[in-house]
Amino acid sequence: MTLWENFALGFTYLSPVVGVYSVFDVGMAAGGPPMIWSYFLAAFGQFIVCLTFCEVVSHFRSPADSIPGPAV
């Protein structure tokens, strides 16, 4: 991947994380301690983002793909 593609993927990942922290702070101020359960929802969303990155990265070749392995 190029430097620009790496930057774009990193920026895409970091933007929701920053938003989650600020929204959580507002939620704790407005809703109180029961708002802590919303963190599980946010964690699930981050897990979905992680799965999406796994799918994207699986389409790129690895440098190890060009190393010949033992004959099977």
Side-chain angles (χ1 to χ4, degrees):
M1 288 179 35
T2 66
L3 180 63
W4 180 252
E5 290 170 339
N6 280 323
F7 174 76
L9 282 176
F11 189 78
T12 303
Y13 174 71
L14 288 177
S15 293
V17 172
V18 173
V20 165
Y21 291 137
S22 61
V23 169
F24 182 75
D25 185 40
V26 170
M28 282 296 284
M35 184 63 186
I36 194 77
W37 293 104
S38 70
Y39 237 17
F40 291 110
L41 181 63
F44 178 73
Q46 288 296 311
F47 182 69
I48 297 297
V49 170
C50 178
L51 290 178
T52 303
F53 276 117
C54 291
E55 182 65 27
V56 168
V57 171
S58 72
H59 293 285
F60 290 98
R61 289 181 51 105
S62 163
D65 290 340
S66 60
I67 299 173
V72 178

